[in-house]
Amino acid sequence: MSENKKIEKIVGVKGMNDILPTDAPLWELFENTVQSVLKSYGFQQIRTPIVEPTALFSRGLGDVTDIVEKEMYSFTDSMNGDQLTLRPECTASVVRAALEHNLTYDGPKRLWYAGPMFRHEKPQRGRYRQFHQIGAEALGFVGPDIDAELIMLCQRLWDDLGLQDVRLELNSIGNADERNKHRADLVAYFEKHADLLDADAQRRLYSNPLRILDTKNPAMQTMVNAAPRLLDYLGDDSRAHFEGVQKILRHNSIPFTINTRLVRGMDYYNRTVFEWVTDQLGAQGTVCGGGRYDPLVEIFGGKPTPACGFAIGVERILELMKVSGDLSPPNQCDVYILHQGEDAQLQAFVLSERIRDAGLDVVLHCASANSASSFKSQMKRADASGAAFAVIIGKDEIDGGVAAIKALRITQTDQQQVSIAFDAVVDYLVDQVVGEDEHEHIHYHH
Ligand code: ATP
Ligand code: MG
């Protein structure tokens, strides 16, 4: 390659982020916590493809939703002309898969999914073009009990993650008939205040007036606040369902506020809708959205099957964990092994495998480009690794049949090196690491 030829770097797609090793432990901590909470409520995982037929979303989400109108990554399969889309959300996929494989043939199902979603939005804090959701879908459950259970599952998750500043907003958007009656009055009301509608609202006036209630435009707030409330149009069944949800939440001391303007982006929702919101994240404060979507299975050609679910925005929750959580991710490894000389290297390999056999995580120093392998530079690596202990093997240690072991996370003055016979190294480290965990535990709760 010519020396003066500069090769242009390829960078990632705008709005699609790399999750770097420094952040990965927090992701892992979050994912493990969610999975164990979901499991504790009997939810089972489902994994669906990232690419789906475009029609799944245009039919399922509704043509006038933000997602279908302008946010989908759609393309034509060049092999056969199929219209395909990178999934913008996963509810439609889960319902499609449940129908395709007849998952509810023997009764209702509690399902969950996790993975990347794609929406062509303007990237900003908490809003990306590839982002991640973890969500749950309960298919075949008819009553308010499952709505309440899903909400309580979320509350348990926030508690387990140490997140305090997340509050629940709840509403009922009734059924299609109730919404139609309300809609007629709402459109008439907005027509009366046409001078106050912004361009977005004018565009939605006849296609999706309910969404105008969701506006963030400060100039429209007073007008929108006084608009006819959907809650006042609910019939007896919808009202009873909504009260049923609230009763269970109150009985379990789950605080909530009723937000009569809360609607969901997707057309397929009915009755219960909810959002978990925080003030800690600026404009993108909704960390989880959910609700009931009884009509969807039928829209996809299945037998009428009631359904309810939620989706958590993972990036937003992780951001919240960073600003206000009280959990710190576990250390990357327990032991870092330094060595110098050929015999020491061979001994280090054997020892590292034996320590791993005992269940500890070990990083064995390996040669790297552009860096010396003096003990001093190896020790820098050991410190940077986050390991609790350094095991050092040089010529003296080989001659003496011992390894030098140094605790890395205690203060400089306490730091001392001990010599431990090769055969005793594993037991020594296991004792120390378990002891250190207990020490940290006490320290943490102090
Ligand atoms: P918003 O009003 O913020 O656009 P939405 O109604 O489009 O949200 P949902 O489709 O209900 O969001 O998705 C559930 C959750 O996924 C949201 O509450 C949010 O936490 C997260 N989310 C949605 N879109 C994005 C995005 N582009 N980037 C990051 N997270 C997102
Ligand atoms: Mg959106």
Side-chain angles (χ1 to χ4, degrees):
M1 230 173 285
S2 140
E3 268 178 40
N4 10 357
K5 213 186 216 161
K6 194 142 187 320
I7 298 175
E8 217 179 294
K9 275 189 200 143
I10 296 174
V11 297
V13 178
K14 191 175 168 203
M16 306 203 178
N17 303 314
D18 298 308
I19 297 158
L20 300 176
T22 40
D23 268 340
L26 193 66
W27 280 76
E28 206 180 310
L29 174 70
F30 171 72
E31 285 162 355
N32 291 342
T33 310
V34 186
Q35 290 186 23
S36 77
V37 170
L38 286 160
K39 191 163 165 286
S40 77
Y41 285 79
F43 282 74
Q44 298 173 299
Q45 192 183 15
I46 181 164
R47 302 187 191 213
T48 60
I50 282 170
V51 176
E52 294 275 7
T54 303
L56 181 73
F57 305 112
S58 47
R59 201 196 308 172
L61 273 52
D63 287 331
V64 294
T65 53
D66 281 353
I67 291 180
V68 175
E69 262 187 347
K70 54 185 189 211
E71 294 175 359
M72 295 207 298
Y73 281 93
S74 298
F75 58 97
T76 306
D77 185 328
S78 60
M79 297 292 165
N80 58 12
D82 286 353
Q83 291 301 312
L84 303 175
T85 294
L86 301 185
R87 64 181 185 196
E89 56 100 58
C90 208
T91 301
S93 305
V94 169
V95 169
R96 176 201 53 71
L99 267 178
E100 201 167 319
H101 307 285
N102 202 12
L103 291 187
T104 53
Y105 82 100
D106 62 346
K109 284 282 174 301
R110 289 175 168 88
L111 303 170
W112 71 271
Y113 62 83
M117 308 297 157
F118 303 83
R119 296 185 192 177
H120 202 282
E121 306 202 65
K122 189 164 158 274
Q124 52 197 288
R125 183 187 183 196
R127 193 176 291 288
Y128 311 103
R129 291 180 171 175
Q130 175 175 330
F131 64 100
H132 295 74
Q133 289 184 336
I134 291 192
E137 312 292 355
L139 304 180
F141 298 94
V142 70
D145 45 356
I146 195 76
D147 309 25
E149 182 184 276
L150 287 164
I151 288 170
M152 287 172 62
L153 187 162
C154 292
Q155 179 68 62
R156 177 177 291 275
L157 176 61
W158 316 142
D159 291 347
D160 284 2
L161 293 171
L163 300 176
Q164 268 135 37
D165 185 37
V166 195
R167 56 174 204 280
L168 175 62
E169 298 199 343
L170 195 64
N171 194 19
S172 172
I173 57 170
N175 63 28
D177 281 349
E178 292 154 3
R179 277 201 301 280
N180 283 338
K181 286 204 195 83
H182 168 254
R183 183 195 156 109
D185 290 356
L186 190 63
V187 170
Y189 174 86
F190 285 143
E191 281 172 336
K192 223 170 58 193
H193 297 280
D195 51 320
L196 290 170
L197 299 179
D198 60 17
D200 215 33
Q202 280 170 19
R203 192 171 51 81
R204 284 182 167 143
L205 179 54
Y206 301 106
S207 63
N208 198 356
L210 207 55
R211 274 290 265 178
I212 299 178
L213 296 174
D214 210 19
T215 180
K216 281 158 188 130
N217 183 348
M220 288 171 59
Q221 296 305 312
T222 315
M223 184 271 292
V224 156
N225 276 331
R229 304 179 336 151
L230 179 47
L231 212 52
D232 298 328
Y233 291 74
L234 299 190
D236 290 345
D237 289 352
S238 293
R239 197 177 296 278
H241 187 99
F242 193 37
E243 268 154 23
V245 178
Q246 294 176 56
K247 189 174 169 191
I248 298 172
L249 295 180
R250 278 198 208 96
H251 188 76
N252 287 282
S253 308
I254 309 284
F256 60 88
T257 54
I258 291 179
N259 174 356
T260 55
R261 282 170 46 188
L262 180 66
V263 293
R264 304 279 316 134
M266 271 64 103
D267 265 4
Y268 54 64
Y269 282 96
N270 70 325
R271 290 192 172 169
T272 317
V273 291
F274 61 88
E275 275 185 3
W276 291 93
V277 291
T278 178
D279 297 326
Q280 309 257 333
L281 298 179
Q284 266 59 251
T286 305
V287 293
C288 173
R292 192 161 265 286
Y293 51 94
D294 297 331
L296 189 61
V297 178
E298 248 182 303
I299 291 172
F300 285 160
K303 287 197 299 255
T305 306
C308 191
F310 65 76
I312 294 169
V314 178
E315 281 81 356
R316 293 186 193 176
I317 284 290
L318 293 179
E319 188 71 18
L320 190 58
M321 284 170 76
K322 283 186 194 164
V323 298
S324 79
D326 66 358
L327 289 183
S328 46
N331 280 294
Q332 293 283 73
C333 74
D334 301 311
V335 179
Y336 193 101
I337 302 194
L338 302 66
H339 53 85
Q340 210 154 40
E342 202 175 316
D343 291 343
Q345 186 191 40
L346 291 173
Q347 180 62 45
F349 260 96
V350 172
L351 209 51
S352 64
E353 291 300 330
R354 289 196 354 234
I355 300 168
R356 291 186 188 109
D357 287 343
L360 301 188
D361 301 333
V362 183
V363 173
L364 175 61
H365 184 85
C366 286
S368 57
N370 316 319
S371 119
S373 59
S374 67
F375 272 136
K376 193 162 167 238
S377 71
Q378 291 190 36
M379 194 51 96
K380 273 193 198 138
R381 289 284 153 81
D383 279 327
S385 75
F389 292 91
V391 172
I392 305 152
I393 309 172
K395 186 170 181 314
D396 291 351
E397 284 74 25
I398 290 292
D399 291 346
V402 297
I405 299 182
K406 192 169 167 183
L408 297 177
R409 283 199 224 118
I410 55 179
T411 56
Q412 286 297 333
T413 47
D414 295 342
Q415 258 184 39
Q416 45 180 327
Q417 212 161 286
V418 293
S419 286
I420 306 288
F422 285 139
D423 280 347
V425 165
V426 174
D427 285 348
Y428 177 84
L429 286 172
V430 168
D431 277 1
Q432 293 291 312
V433 169
V434 171
E436 215 220 12
D437 284 352
E438 274 164 9
H439 177 78
E440 270 184 3
H441 197 67
I442 292 160
H443 180 77
Y444 182 79
H445 288 282
H446 186 64

